[in-house]
Structure formats: structure tokens, C-alpha cells
Amino acid sequence: MNITRENIDALNAVVKVDIAKEDYSDKVEKILADYRKSANIPGFRKGHVPMTMVKKQYGKAVLVDEVNKLLQDALNKYLTEEKLDVLGNPLPKAQDDLDWDADSFTFEFELGLAPQFEVELKGKKPITHFNIVADDKMIDGQVEHIRKQYGKLVSQDAVTKESEVTGVFVNEEKEINNKATFTLDKIKSKTAEKSLIGAKVGDVVTLKTKDLFNDDHDLMSFLKVAHDDAHELDVDVTFTVEEVNIRELADLDQELFDKLFGKDVVSSVTELKTKIKEDSEKQFGQQGDQKFLNDVTEYLVENTKFDLPATFLQKWMQTAGEDPLDADQAKEEYENSEKSMRYQLIEGKLIEKYKLQVTFDDLKDFAKEMIKVQMAQFGQMDPQDKELEDIAARILSNKDEVRRLSEQLMSQKLLELYKKEANLKVKEISYDDFVKEFYS
């Protein structure tokens, strides 16, 4: 067997594999001999079928199968030994004139080669890492929300600004008929608010859906309309009042603190606010990190210049998925995924350059921390280490879970690398301002 490579350019190559008769003949003869021992052909005793007949019936199929196996093994070995960093998979060149009756065969494969490039994490312009803080306004709002959530409902005679109202929205034309509960602070329309205030159980109020709520998306939950309809809905609905309540706020006492956090974890309003701040900022930290990770990714893709074997990759994409694509579909798929492919190559370069790796011990510790967080959500605050070890062992016996956790852990390692090596500046921002600036 002989394998040669012709480099078309820096990103494309053709590998030629020459297979001679001596490369496959012994294997084919052995398989056919085994077939002869077990072949059942009318007119011949088992094991006494003439080899000429066995070859006539099975020879071509065995030959094709063995040559293909030999070809794939040789190609994979060659790519490994030559340390060729290929994109996608080798693409066999069409051979309409291949003669399987010949003694030797030649196959050609197109290769898309990974580009050579360097990655520089420290850019001239700093990337902002937002430190999202829970300010006093937000903490006070959370305390108020907790008191409402754990308070008790008290029936009212008529709707007031502080009321929690339950009733049925109806519009026959739009097939709206939905029971909902809401507070009047959700209402945007002053006309609608005026119509609702003073209403009693059994009253029917007509409301306009346009600008009814502060957030049009509330129409989806309160009227059960589709997302697209919610933004353009401009009809009259009737609202039949079924209940009017006011929520009496819960006392900030030890009973409430224990219900929220476990016995004696929090014992004062000051400690409650501290706990809310700590828990909130822990969650905010994840959002700040994700924003930073997205910004670094964008920076790296925009500022790390290299070419890709675009023509090869589009050709490869035509047959790489479950469903074949035509040329136009493959081009569109390539354009949609090009940025992701570029970042994967950059990420791989960084992992190699900074020698980042995920060990089994890393994975086990990561899994145990994840399990502890999940158990804490169900009130198990101090699980035994053996219990954690046993659960982690079950998780890590699943290959899909190992792959998923490995990806998450490597993402964490890359995030820490970016925080250490990238040119960044830290900016403190309240959660409300963070949401307004990036998600409004």
C-alpha cells in the first residue's frame, strides 16, 4: 500500500491511496474459506462447495468490504501519523470508472486543513466585566415580594389600587375566554384602572387590550393569546370580577426566616437583607460572567484573522448531516455556522497554548458541587460525602453526562483564563441598569 499527499494550497490537499493485491488477498481468501465451511448451496454437502462457486457468489462483496475497511484504517492511521489537523472528514473523490475486477485500486480523498494562526488575548481596547450588585432598592423590593408571597389573602368588597383581582377575560371573536389573577400595578392604561377601581364581585367591566398592561407579554398569560398576537392586539374584552382580595403582608419574624432558609440560619431583618444580597449577587455573577464570555468570544472572532477552506466545508456539509443538503442549502448552513467554527478553532488553540485540561478528579469535584447545589434546593443542606461520591459515580458512568460536564468545566476554565489574561476592566452596575442596558 502506498499513500501520498498533494497540497493544493495551505487549506486544501488531496490524499491518494494505492492498494495492491497483496494488501488484501490473504484476508479475502481466509473469509471466503470460512464461507465455504458454512455455505448452504443446493446440490452440495455443507463444507464441500467448490471454491470457484463460493468466489462467484460472495467474492466481489467480500473484496469490496475488505478493501473499504483497509482503506479507512490506512487513511485514519495516515492522518494520525502525519499529525494532519483536518476540518470535517475526508471526502472521497467520485470514481465512476472503478474496476473491481482489477488487482490494484487507487482512491483519492479531498482534505480541508485547519488554518495556522496565533491568538492574542490582550487587545488594545479593554473588555468590560460587569460586577452586578444588588442595590438597596432591589433588596427592599425582594423583601416586599417575600412578604406578599408568604402573606395571606383578605377578601375585599371592592377593587382598590392595592387589590389582587381574579376574573374571566372574554372576547368571542378572538376566542378569548381565560380566568386570570393580577394586581393593579400591572395595569398601564389609566382608563382601564379607573374602570376596575370600585368594581365588585359579579361586575362586568369592558377593557381595551391595547396598552392594557405595562408589558404586552402579560396578554399571553392573562388572556392566553399567542406571542405574535400579543404585540398587535387591539380589541375590547369583558372582564367579569370573581374575587377581590388584598394580600396582608407576612410578618418578618423567625417563623418566616426559618421557612425561607432553614432553622436559625437567619434571625433578623438585617441578616435577611444580607442573605438576599449574597444570593442575588451570586446569581448576578453568573450573568455578568456570561456577558463577559460572550464579549470575549466576539472579540476573539473579530480580531483573530485566518481563512477557512470554505468550498471544501460547504461540500462536506452536503452529506455530513442526517439529511443531505443541496449546494445552496450547504452554503447557507456554512454562513450560519462560520462564526461558531472559527471560535471552536480559536478555543482549541487557547486550550493547547495554555495547557488547559479536564481531569477525572476535576470532573468528580465539579459533579459533587453540582449535586450539592441541587440537593440544597430541596432542603438537604449538608449531605454526607459518601452520598455525594455515590451519586457522582452514577453520573460519571454515563458517557453523555461526562461529555456535557466536561464541556461546562472547560468553559469555566476558559472563563478564568480570560479573566486573568485578557485586557479587561471591571465596572460595577446595578441589576436594573444591567437589564436596561443589554436586554431592554
Side-chain angles (χ1 to χ4, degrees), residues 120-137:
E120 180 54 61
L121 276 175
K122 283 193 184 297
K124 293 181 180 179
K125 186 178 178 181
I127 300 171
T128 302
H129 182 250
F130 290 95
N131 178 28
I132 308 170
V133 297
D135 56 15
D136 290 341
K137 179 183 175 184

Side-chain angles (χ1 to χ4, degrees), residues 208-227:
K208 290 188 176 297
T209 57
K210 185 173 176 61
D211 294 328
L212 177 57
F213 295 105
N214 292 316
D215 185 347
D216 284 343
H217 292 100
D218 283 340
L219 293 170
M220 296 169 60
S221 55
F222 296 146
L223 276 66
K224 285 293 183 285
V225 297
H227 179 271

Side-chain angles (χ1 to χ4, degrees), residues 364 367-369 371-372 374-376 378-395:
K364 186 168 71 171
K368 287 165 69 174
E369 286 302 314
I371 295 162
K372 284 171 69 175
Q374 292 176 347
M375 293 176 76
F378 295 95
Q380 293 176 265
M381 308 304 293
D382 190 26
Q384 297 296 311
D385 193 60
K386 184 180 184 308
E387 185 178 11
L388 293 173
E389 288 276 352
D390 291 344
I391 298 173
R394 288 199 298 272
I395 292 174

Side-chain angles (χ1 to χ4, degrees), residues 302-340:
E302 291 297 322
N303 291 277
T304 308
K305 303 299 183 184
F306 54 83
D307 293 326
L308 289 171
T311 302
F312 169 84
L313 288 171
Q314 290 175 40
K315 189 174 180 180
W316 169 69
M317 284 178 174
Q318 289 185 251
T319 56
E322 291 184 7
D323 300 316
L325 304 177
D326 61 31
D328 289 337
Q329 290 172 325
K331 181 179 180 182
E332 182 180 359
E333 177 70 18
Y334 172 78
E335 289 170 351
N336 290 337
S337 58
E338 182 183 1
K339 183 179 286 190
S340 173

